[in-house]
Amino acid sequence: MTGSGNTRNMAPLVAAWKQAFHLATNGSGSYGKGLNLHRNGGVAQIHAQPGRLAAAVTAKKATHQAVLFLPELTDTQWDTLAGRLAGNAQAVADLLANRVPAAIADPGHAGGIAIVPAAEEITFACSCPTGHAGRVCDHSGALGHAVTDRLAVTASILLGARGMSARSLAVLVRDLIAETDPGTLPADDDGTVRADQLYSLAAHRPPHSPPDLDLDPIVPVTTDLDDPPLPGPRAQDLAWMTQDAADRARALLTAIPDPPHDDLADTVRILASPHGIDRLPAAADATGLSETTLRAMMIGYRHGGPAGAHATLAAATVPPSTLEQAAEALRASRAFAFGIIDIADGAITDSTAGVQIRPGLDGRWHPFTLRRADEWRPAPGACDDPAEAFRAARRARAARPLSR
């Protein structure tokens, strides 16, 4: 169980550890030397055991075993912490969703229990001569800095060193909320809540008893309607909306550079679906574009998503210097053999070869081939590299001779 996803919320915990560790070194020069050692990758995997954090630290081709000793929390302190967390719906949701709750970072929200030990409670040991004497050394200093960075993503290591794993804490809290309603999950600052947290809370709420209703005297609402209720969306319309929602969610989760669907791109998306072609005349009326243009945009969408559809309609606006640099890159590469490179209407064209590349809204270059006079057809192979996109256009052009 890790604190991934809670990195920003763990900032108070990280800051508290950093301060306590700094004070524990008591101004030793090993604090700064240990930081450099850690930044140079000298600290191996950190192992958390009750009362200690340990790791192998390598410096100057010698490896030593560094240890930080921390006092374990008592059973009473763990019970107090679990009781406080059990009354916090957000903390309960985090624990049940296999994450360390941010509430443990603040003693005010953790029943007064400080997960980070006081500076005087942190002691040092190492297999090097300085560490043997119980003083902080460069190796244990590096370990302390490594713990600081690790806490931001894996706050459970500090729980383990204090005597209880995050999973055991979750079991303790789960027992406390058994057969009870853990409460309402508060929203974030932007008004949203995490779906996995909602599910984890719902799974541990007791089932509601069915309401005791006398349905006999209830008059059906349909008796007061003059007309039948309007039908809902068709199954195909629901499928399109579901696919659009899935595409938007995927873009948010994976940071896809393509911009979200606007109204025009969304129209083309539906047309490009297996059953969307029947709506082509209606789409032409709604958008003011010809059916031929929309058909070409459908091909562009299949090759390059929303940006490919828009590039088919018109090249994205970019600085002239961007076009000049791309044209120069083509001349310097083997992608361009013979002919003349022209820059016009925001695109780079080799009229002799019948190929063209256009900048897209997604920052990529989209390839096109000349189908007939002044009619360019999208080709697969959109790429960040203009030379690669140009090669893709030439391959598509070779496979699709010019129509007369």
Short mmCIF file of all heavy atoms in Angstrom, two decimals, residues 2-44:
data_model
loop_
_atom_site.label_atom_id
_atom_site.label_comp_id
_atom_site.label_asym_id
_atom_site.label_seq_id
_atom_site.Cartn_x
_atom_site.Cartn_y
_atom_site.Cartn_z
N THR A 2 0.71 2.11 -0.91
CA THR A 2 1.55 3.27 -1.04
C THR A 2 0.71 4.51 -1.02
O THR A 2 -0.50 4.48 -1.04
CB THR A 2 2.35 3.23 -2.36
OG1 THR A 2 1.44 3.36 -3.43
CG2 THR A 2 3.14 1.96 -2.48
N GLY A 3 1.40 5.61 -1.04
CA GLY A 3 0.72 6.90 -1.05
C GLY A 3 0.63 7.48 -2.43
O GLY A 3 0.49 8.68 -2.58
N SER A 4 0.73 6.71 -3.48
CA SER A 4 0.63 7.25 -4.82
C SER A 4 -0.72 7.88 -5.01
O SER A 4 -1.75 7.39 -4.62
CB SER A 4 0.83 6.13 -5.85
OG SER A 4 -0.11 5.12 -5.67
N GLY A 5 -0.72 9.04 -5.68
CA GLY A 5 -1.96 9.78 -5.85
C GLY A 5 -2.16 10.78 -4.75
O GLY A 5 -2.96 11.70 -4.89
N ASN A 6 -1.44 10.65 -3.59
CA ASN A 6 -1.58 11.56 -2.48
C ASN A 6 -0.30 12.37 -2.27
O ASN A 6 -0.07 12.90 -1.20
CB ASN A 6 -1.89 10.79 -1.18
CG ASN A 6 -3.35 10.41 -1.11
OD1 ASN A 6 -4.11 10.72 -2.00
ND2 ASN A 6 -3.72 9.73 -0.05
N THR A 7 0.55 12.47 -3.29
CA THR A 7 1.83 13.12 -3.12
C THR A 7 1.68 14.53 -2.59
O THR A 7 2.36 14.96 -1.68
CB THR A 7 2.59 13.13 -4.47
OG1 THR A 7 2.74 11.79 -4.92
CG2 THR A 7 3.95 13.78 -4.31
N ARG A 8 0.75 15.31 -3.18
CA ARG A 8 0.58 16.68 -2.76
C ARG A 8 0.06 16.74 -1.34
O ARG A 8 0.46 17.58 -0.54
CB ARG A 8 -0.38 17.38 -3.73
CG ARG A 8 -0.60 18.85 -3.43
CD ARG A 8 -1.38 19.50 -4.55
NE ARG A 8 -2.60 18.76 -4.82
CZ ARG A 8 -3.37 19.01 -5.85
NH1 ARG A 8 -3.05 19.95 -6.72
NH2 ARG A 8 -4.48 18.33 -6.05
N ASN A 9 -0.86 15.82 -0.95
CA ASN A 9 -1.42 15.82 0.39
C ASN A 9 -0.41 15.43 1.45
O ASN A 9 -0.58 15.73 2.62
CB ASN A 9 -2.63 14.87 0.44
CG ASN A 9 -3.77 15.36 -0.42
OD1 ASN A 9 -3.87 16.54 -0.70
ND2 ASN A 9 -4.60 14.44 -0.87
N MET A 10 0.66 14.69 1.06
CA MET A 10 1.66 14.25 2.01
C MET A 10 2.73 15.31 2.26
O MET A 10 3.70 15.06 2.98
CB MET A 10 2.31 12.96 1.50
CG MET A 10 1.40 11.76 1.59
SD MET A 10 0.88 11.44 3.29
CE MET A 10 -0.48 10.30 3.01
N ALA A 11 2.58 16.48 1.66
CA ALA A 11 3.59 17.53 1.83
C ALA A 11 3.84 17.87 3.29
O ALA A 11 5.00 18.04 3.69
CB ALA A 11 3.18 18.77 1.03
N PRO A 12 2.79 17.98 4.16
CA PRO A 12 3.08 18.26 5.58
C PRO A 12 3.90 17.16 6.25
O PRO A 12 4.77 17.45 7.07
CB PRO A 12 1.67 18.36 6.20
CG PRO A 12 0.77 18.71 5.06
CD PRO A 12 1.35 18.00 3.88
N LEU A 13 3.66 15.90 5.87
CA LEU A 13 4.42 14.79 6.45
C LEU A 13 5.88 14.87 6.02
O LEU A 13 6.79 14.70 6.82
CB LEU A 13 3.80 13.47 6.02
CG LEU A 13 4.38 12.21 6.66
CD1 LEU A 13 3.96 12.11 8.11
CD2 LEU A 13 3.93 10.96 5.90
N VAL A 14 6.10 15.15 4.73
CA VAL A 14 7.46 15.26 4.21
C VAL A 14 8.19 16.41 4.89
O VAL A 14 9.35 16.28 5.29
CB VAL A 14 7.43 15.46 2.68
CG1 VAL A 14 8.83 15.70 2.15
CG2 VAL A 14 6.81 14.25 1.99
N ALA A 15 7.51 17.56 5.02
CA ALA A 15 8.13 18.73 5.64
C ALA A 15 8.48 18.46 7.11
O ALA A 15 9.54 18.86 7.59
CB ALA A 15 7.22 19.94 5.52
N ALA A 16 7.57 17.77 7.82
CA ALA A 16 7.81 17.47 9.23
C ALA A 16 9.01 16.54 9.40
O ALA A 16 9.85 16.73 10.29
CB ALA A 16 6.56 16.84 9.86
N TRP A 17 9.11 15.52 8.53
CA TRP A 17 10.26 14.61 8.61
C TRP A 17 11.56 15.35 8.27
O TRP A 17 12.57 15.17 8.96
CB TRP A 17 10.07 13.42 7.66
CG TRP A 17 11.35 12.66 7.48
CD1 TRP A 17 12.25 12.76 6.46
CD2 TRP A 17 11.91 11.71 8.40
NE1 TRP A 17 13.31 11.93 6.66
CE2 TRP A 17 13.15 11.27 7.86
CE3 TRP A 17 11.48 11.19 9.62
CZ2 TRP A 17 13.95 10.35 8.48
CZ3 TRP A 17 12.30 10.26 10.26
CH2 TRP A 17 13.51 9.85 9.69
N LYS A 18 11.52 16.17 7.25
CA LYS A 18 12.72 16.88 6.84
C LYS A 18 13.24 17.76 7.97
O LYS A 18 14.45 17.82 8.23
CB LYS A 18 12.42 17.72 5.60
CG LYS A 18 13.64 18.37 4.97
CD LYS A 18 13.27 19.06 3.67
CE LYS A 18 14.51 19.65 3.01
NZ LYS A 18 14.18 20.30 1.71
N GLN A 19 12.33 18.44 8.67
CA GLN A 19 12.74 19.31 9.77
C GLN A 19 13.29 18.49 10.94
O GLN A 19 14.34 18.82 11.51
CB GLN A 19 11.56 20.16 10.24
CG GLN A 19 11.92 21.12 11.37
CD GLN A 19 10.73 21.94 11.81
OE1 GLN A 19 9.58 21.52 11.65
NE2 GLN A 19 10.98 23.10 12.39
N ALA A 20 12.58 17.41 11.30
CA ALA A 20 13.03 16.58 12.42
C ALA A 20 14.39 15.96 12.14
O ALA A 20 15.28 15.92 13.00
CB ALA A 20 11.99 15.50 12.73
N PHE A 21 14.56 15.47 10.91
CA PHE A 21 15.84 14.84 10.54
C PHE A 21 16.96 15.87 10.57
O PHE A 21 18.07 15.60 11.04
CB PHE A 21 15.70 14.20 9.16
CG PHE A 21 17.01 13.79 8.55
CD1 PHE A 21 17.77 12.79 9.12
CD2 PHE A 21 17.49 14.43 7.42
CE1 PHE A 21 18.99 12.42 8.56
CE2 PHE A 21 18.70 14.07 6.86
CZ PHE A 21 19.45 13.07 7.43
N HIS A 22 16.70 17.08 10.07
CA HIS A 22 17.72 18.13 10.06
C HIS A 22 18.16 18.47 11.48
O HIS A 22 19.36 18.59 11.78
CB HIS A 22 17.18 19.37 9.35
CG HIS A 22 18.21 20.44 9.16
ND1 HIS A 22 17.88 21.77 9.02
CD2 HIS A 22 19.57 20.37 9.09
CE1 HIS A 22 19.00 22.47 8.88
NE2 HIS A 22 20.03 21.65 8.91
N LEU A 23 17.18 18.62 12.37
CA LEU A 23 17.51 18.93 13.76
C LEU A 23 18.26 17.78 14.42
O LEU A 23 19.14 18.00 15.26
CB LEU A 23 16.24 19.26 14.54
CG LEU A 23 15.51 20.55 14.13
CD1 LEU A 23 14.19 20.69 14.90
CD2 LEU A 23 16.38 21.77 14.35
N ALA A 24 17.91 16.54 14.04
CA ALA A 24 18.56 15.38 14.65
C ALA A 24 20.04 15.31 14.29
O ALA A 24 20.85 14.78 15.07
CB ALA A 24 17.85 14.09 14.21
N THR A 25 20.42 15.83 13.11
CA THR A 25 21.84 15.81 12.72
C THR A 25 22.65 16.85 13.49
O THR A 25 23.89 16.82 13.45
CB THR A 25 21.99 16.05 11.21
OG1 THR A 25 21.45 17.34 10.89
CG2 THR A 25 21.27 14.98 10.42
N ASN A 26 21.96 17.79 14.16
CA ASN A 26 22.62 18.75 15.06
C ASN A 26 23.72 19.55 14.35
O ASN A 26 24.82 19.75 14.89
CB ASN A 26 23.21 18.01 16.27
CG ASN A 26 23.51 18.96 17.43
OD1 ASN A 26 22.88 20.03 17.55
ND2 ASN A 26 24.47 18.60 18.28
N GLY A 27 23.43 19.98 13.14
CA GLY A 27 24.38 20.82 12.42
C GLY A 27 25.59 20.10 11.87
O GLY A 27 26.57 20.74 11.45
N SER A 28 25.58 18.79 11.82
CA SER A 28 26.73 18.04 11.32
C SER A 28 26.93 18.28 9.83
O SER A 28 25.97 18.44 9.06
CB SER A 28 26.53 16.54 11.57
OG SER A 28 27.51 15.77 10.90
N GLY A 29 28.18 18.30 9.40
CA GLY A 29 28.46 18.44 7.97
C GLY A 29 27.98 17.25 7.17
O GLY A 29 27.86 17.34 5.94
N SER A 30 27.69 16.13 7.84
CA SER A 30 27.19 14.95 7.13
C SER A 30 25.80 15.18 6.56
O SER A 30 25.37 14.43 5.67
CB SER A 30 27.16 13.74 8.07
OG SER A 30 28.47 13.33 8.40
N TYR A 31 25.09 16.22 7.06
CA TYR A 31 23.77 16.51 6.50
C TYR A 31 23.91 16.92 5.04
O TYR A 31 23.21 16.40 4.16
CB TYR A 31 23.10 17.62 7.30
CG TYR A 31 21.73 18.00 6.80
CD1 TYR A 31 20.60 17.29 7.22
CD2 TYR A 31 21.55 19.04 5.91
CE1 TYR A 31 19.33 17.63 6.77
CE2 TYR A 31 20.29 19.38 5.44
CZ TYR A 31 19.18 18.69 5.88
OH TYR A 31 17.94 19.02 5.42
N GLY A 32 24.82 17.86 4.75
CA GLY A 32 25.02 18.28 3.37
C GLY A 32 25.71 17.24 2.53
O GLY A 32 25.37 17.01 1.36
N LYS A 33 26.73 16.56 3.11
CA LYS A 33 27.42 15.52 2.35
C LYS A 33 26.49 14.36 2.03
O LYS A 33 26.55 13.76 0.96
CB LYS A 33 28.62 15.02 3.14
CG LYS A 33 29.71 16.07 3.34
CD LYS A 33 30.86 15.52 4.18
CE LYS A 33 31.94 16.56 4.40
NZ LYS A 33 33.04 16.05 5.25
N GLY A 34 25.60 14.04 2.98
CA GLY A 34 24.64 12.97 2.74
C GLY A 34 23.67 13.32 1.63
O GLY A 34 23.26 12.45 0.85
N LEU A 35 23.30 14.61 1.53
CA LEU A 35 22.39 15.04 0.46
C LEU A 35 23.03 14.81 -0.90
O LEU A 35 22.40 14.30 -1.83
CB LEU A 35 22.03 16.51 0.66
CG LEU A 35 21.12 17.13 -0.41
CD1 LEU A 35 19.80 16.37 -0.50
CD2 LEU A 35 20.87 18.60 -0.12
N ASN A 36 24.30 15.20 -1.04
CA ASN A 36 25.00 14.98 -2.31
C ASN A 36 25.12 13.49 -2.62
O ASN A 36 24.97 13.06 -3.77
CB ASN A 36 26.39 15.61 -2.26
CG ASN A 36 26.33 17.13 -2.22
OD1 ASN A 36 25.40 17.73 -2.75
ND2 ASN A 36 27.31 17.75 -1.59
N LEU A 37 25.38 12.70 -1.59
CA LEU A 37 25.50 11.26 -1.79
C LEU A 37 24.17 10.66 -2.26
O LEU A 37 24.14 9.80 -3.15
CB LEU A 37 25.95 10.61 -0.48
CG LEU A 37 26.28 9.12 -0.51
CD1 LEU A 37 27.35 8.82 -1.55
CD2 LEU A 37 26.76 8.67 0.87
N HIS A 38 23.08 11.12 -1.67
CA HIS A 38 21.76 10.64 -2.08
C HIS A 38 21.45 11.06 -3.51
O HIS A 38 20.95 10.26 -4.31
CB HIS A 38 20.70 11.18 -1.12
CG HIS A 38 19.30 11.12 -1.66
ND1 HIS A 38 18.71 9.95 -2.08
CD2 HIS A 38 18.38 12.11 -1.86
CE1 HIS A 38 17.49 10.20 -2.51
NE2 HIS A 38 17.27 11.50 -2.39
N ARG A 39 21.74 12.32 -3.85
CA ARG A 39 21.45 12.80 -5.21
C ARG A 39 22.26 12.06 -6.26
O ARG A 39 21.85 11.98 -7.42
CB ARG A 39 21.73 14.30 -5.28
CG ARG A 39 20.70 15.15 -4.54
CD ARG A 39 21.08 16.62 -4.55
NE ARG A 39 20.02 17.45 -3.98
CZ ARG A 39 20.14 18.76 -3.74
NH1 ARG A 39 21.30 19.38 -4.03
NH2 ARG A 39 19.14 19.44 -3.21
N ASN A 40 23.41 11.53 -5.87
CA ASN A 40 24.25 10.77 -6.80
C ASN A 40 23.86 9.30 -6.87
O ASN A 40 24.57 8.50 -7.48
CB ASN A 40 25.72 10.90 -6.40
CG ASN A 40 26.27 12.30 -6.64
OD1 ASN A 40 25.81 13.00 -7.55
ND2 ASN A 40 27.22 12.72 -5.83
N GLY A 41 22.74 8.95 -6.25
CA GLY A 41 22.24 7.58 -6.34
C GLY A 41 22.93 6.59 -5.43
O GLY A 41 22.95 5.39 -5.73
N GLY A 42 23.49 7.07 -4.32
CA GLY A 42 24.23 6.18 -3.45
C GLY A 42 23.38 5.32 -2.53
O GLY A 42 23.89 4.35 -1.95
N VAL A 43 22.08 5.65 -2.39
CA VAL A 43 21.24 4.92 -1.44
C VAL A 43 20.45 3.84 -2.17
O VAL A 43 19.75 4.11 -3.15
CB VAL A 43 20.26 5.87 -0.72
CG1 VAL A 43 19.42 5.11 0.30
CG2 VAL A 43 21.03 7.00 -0.03
N ALA A 44 20.57 2.61 -1.71
CA ALA A 44 19.83 1.49 -2.30
C ALA A 44 18.42 1.44 -1.72
O ALA A 44 17.95 2.41 -1.10
CB ALA A 44 20.57 0.19 -2.04
#
